[in-house]
Amino acid sequence: MISREPTLERLDVARRLLLEPFGLDESDLIHTLSAIKAHKVDEADLYFQYTRAEGWSLEEGIVKTGSFSIDQGVGVRAVSGEKTAFAYSDDISLASLTDAAHTVRTIAAASKAARVKVPARKVAGSRSLYQDLDPIASLDSTQKVALLGRVETMARAKDPRVSQVMAGLASEYDVVLIARADGTLAADVRPLVRLSVTVIAEQNGRREMGSAGGGGRFGLDHFDDALAQSYVDEAVKAALTNLEARPAPAGEMSVVLGPGWPGILLHEAIGHGLEGDFNRKGSSAFSGRIGKRVAAKGVTVLDDGTLPDRRGSLNVDDEGNTSQRNVLIEDGILKGYIQDAMNARLMGVKPTGNGRRESYAHVPMPRMTNTYMLGGDKSPEEIVASLKKGLYATNFGGGQVDITSVSSSSPPRKRIGSKTARSNIL
């Protein structure tokens, strides 16, 4: 069997789901974009999306809830300078496209030419960071229920103090098609799954909770018994640790972050502050600081949308640009921001493959993919030993950040949410 180039395969999938059932083809997309470009807009695009999602949850030994949904639609956007006009519809039809095109093009004045030709088609660059599969179909219903049942059995067998187990299984099949006025045509097929487990442990009248889980862009069969057991071990360990925990002392002190979810601090306090729209508008603490020191030497922060199978990875972003490995901070020096097409154009730089949409009903914004800090030259033991007294934070459950309140010598302030796990005192 001859395998086809992956980009062309994804385009065929997108056509079958998003164009052919509604009597559309590429000529209709070109006609719609030409109608928008009849006015003097800087950018225009069409974003089609088909999403099928399923969820199962287990509690008290039985699957209590299940959900299934299908959503589809198209968003039509025109950009003129800093202004954006946007219309969307869950009715995918030529009439809807035409109406949306006539609506959004009013953002700019009409061109002298009655018709504007869209450049020749340019297919987005080829790559395959994850399989083009439907994860919902990777296990049948019986197997999904059995997986959740095994998770509960593992958790209860782990420790007699485990009194309740909640487990959830979620999967999503997302297909997108992007057509731009510069001739770019791109598509992506994005599987996404997650298995989560929460346990409640009781001891001497005290009840505490622990959670764990994981997922990515692969099928549900990825969750074998060994991986499920690792999630269970982590959740039970957290619950039992919390049973013995005492309140952390008040006051300012040094904090050592463990690997994994404590990275939410980097996501919130640094990642959001490096998104292009905030910096273009001057509302980020990092605005105007390219080339300046914003962190200690040895600190290198990346946003990388090219990691295979990771939940933040994308073959193309939601504007049809290929995702990239972007160095944001290198050895403490700010190197660049996360960019979508509009903010990149206005700031005089290139897009970084970070144009993200919440759905077809939303405009794209520059947002993160997989954001992380590279390891340094010190071992975890050395880092802990360097403190006489402080906190070792192994897990976080949520929070938010004010990216504007920062001085030139201090990092953005992070507020930890009420679900934050207790920290161990060193």
Side-chain angles (χ1 to χ4, degrees):
M1 181 178 177
I2 300 175
S3 60
R4 297 188 63 193
E5 198 276 336
T7 299
L8 298 179
E9 282 284 0
R10 290 192 288 269
L11 281 171
D12 275 352
V13 172
R15 287 190 192 98
R16 291 197 301 269
L17 285 174
L18 292 163
L19 297 183
E20 293 173 4
F22 310 102
L24 299 175
D25 57 29
E26 288 180 28
S27 66
D28 296 312
L29 310 188
I30 293 172
H31 178 79
T32 301
L33 291 168
S34 296
I36 300 173
K37 289 289 286 182
H39 285 211
K40 296 178 180 179
V41 300
D42 294 310
E43 301 170 21
D45 58 24
L46 313 176
Y47 181 82
F48 296 82
Q49 184 177 31
Y50 170 91
T51 303
R52 186 151 34 88
E54 182 185 79
W56 300 77
S57 62
L58 176 144
E59 189 175 350
E60 297 178 346
I62 59 174
V63 174
K64 284 194 169 182
T65 61
S67 62
F68 182 83
S69 65
I70 296 177
D71 192 19
Q72 61 189 23
V74 58
V76 180
R77 178 179 64 142
V79 181
S80 179
E82 296 186 20
K83 299 184 296 181
T84 297
F86 181 71
Y88 70 92
S89 174
D90 57 6
D91 171 33
I92 301 176
S93 66
L94 183 57
S96 292
L97 287 176
T98 302
D99 287 345
H102 289 165
T103 299
V104 302
R105 73 181 186 176
T106 57
I107 195 174
S111 302
K112 290 183 180 179
R115 297 177 63 85
V116 177
K117 185 178 180 181
V118 173
R121 188 181 78 163
K122 299 181 295 183
V123 176
S126 176
R127 61 154 47 127
S128 188
L129 300 175
Y130 35 84
Q131 296 183 60
D132 302 344
L133 58 82
D134 179 357
I136 297 174
S138 58
L139 293 180
D140 63 32
S141 298
T142 301
Q143 292 171 312
K144 294 168 186 173
V145 172
L147 173 58
L148 294 175
R150 289 197 301 276
V151 168
E152 191 206 28
T153 300
M154 292 173 183
R156 292 191 178 277
K158 186 71 179 176
D159 193 282
R161 288 170 288 180
V162 173
S163 61
Q164 291 186 47
V165 180
M166 290 79 78
L169 193 61
S171 49
E172 181 180 283
Y173 178 61
D174 193 36
V175 179
V176 300
L177 176 67
I178 304 110
R180 295 206 315 246
D182 66 359
T184 297
L185 187 66
D188 204 3
V189 178
R190 301 168 179 170
L192 188 62
V193 298
R194 178 170 177 81
L195 174 63
S196 59
V197 56
T198 298
V199 302
I200 295 177
E202 295 188 35
Q203 177 178 272
N204 300 325
R206 181 173 177 176
R207 307 174 79 216
E208 294 291 348
M209 183 174 67
S211 299
R217 298 197 180 281
F218 34 70
L220 292 170
D221 50 358
H222 178 81
F223 299 119
D224 58 20
D225 285 353
L227 184 56
Q229 184 68 61
S230 70
Y231 296 157
V232 167
D233 292 346
E234 184 180 348
V236 173
K237 181 181 178 181
L240 298 182
T241 298
N242 286 342
L243 281 176
E244 306 294 336
R246 61 188 188 275
E252 185 174 319
M253 64 185 71
S254 298
V255 178
V256 176
L257 302 179
W261 272 107
I264 191 68
L265 285 173
L266 182 73
H267 172 98
E268 295 285 356
I270 306 300
H272 282 306
L274 295 178
E275 291 164 345
D277 48 352
F278 297 126
N279 287 281
R280 177 175 64 82
K281 298 171 183 177
S283 59
S284 169
F286 296 100
S287 297
R289 301 186 68 184
I290 296 290
K292 297 181 180 179
R293 180 166 298 282
V294 296
K297 287 184 66 64
V299 173
T300 296
V301 177
L302 306 177
D303 182 86
D304 190 350
T306 70
L307 301 175
D309 297 330
R310 295 286 183 168
R311 64 181 296 117
S313 296
L314 299 168
N315 288 312
V316 293
D317 72 3
D318 292 331
E319 296 180 299
N321 295 308
T322 54
S323 58
Q324 301 175 24
R325 181 181 186 270
N326 300 299
V327 179
L328 305 177
I329 299 173
E330 185 173 25
D331 199 24
I333 304 299
L334 181 59
K335 293 296 184 179
Y337 304 122
I338 294 166
Q339 300 287 5
D340 64 352
M342 184 186 81
N343 284 281
R345 173 176 54 81
L346 293 171
M347 296 179 76
V349 297
K350 294 182 179 180
T352 60
N354 289 89
R356 308 294 304 274
R357 302 180 195 240
E358 187 176 336
S359 76
Y360 67 86
H362 299 81
V363 297
M365 295 183 290
R367 294 296 180 261
M368 288 172 275
T369 56
N370 304 297
T371 306
Y372 59 99
M373 183 189 299
L374 294 184
D377 58 0
K378 299 292 188 297
S379 70
E381 292 76 18
E382 288 180 275
I383 296 172
V384 172
S386 69
L387 301 182
K388 291 183 179 180
K389 183 179 181 181
L391 298 177
Y392 178 49
T394 61
N395 199 3
F396 290 130
Q400 62 187 31
V401 68
D402 178 359
I403 64 170
T404 65
S405 59
V406 61
S407 68
S408 60
S409 59
S410 63
R413 295 178 297 184
K414 176 70 169 63
R415 299 197 298 275
I416 306 301
S418 61
K419 295 183 180 179
T420 301
R422 292 176 176 84
S423 300
N424 296 324
I425 301 174
L426 297 175

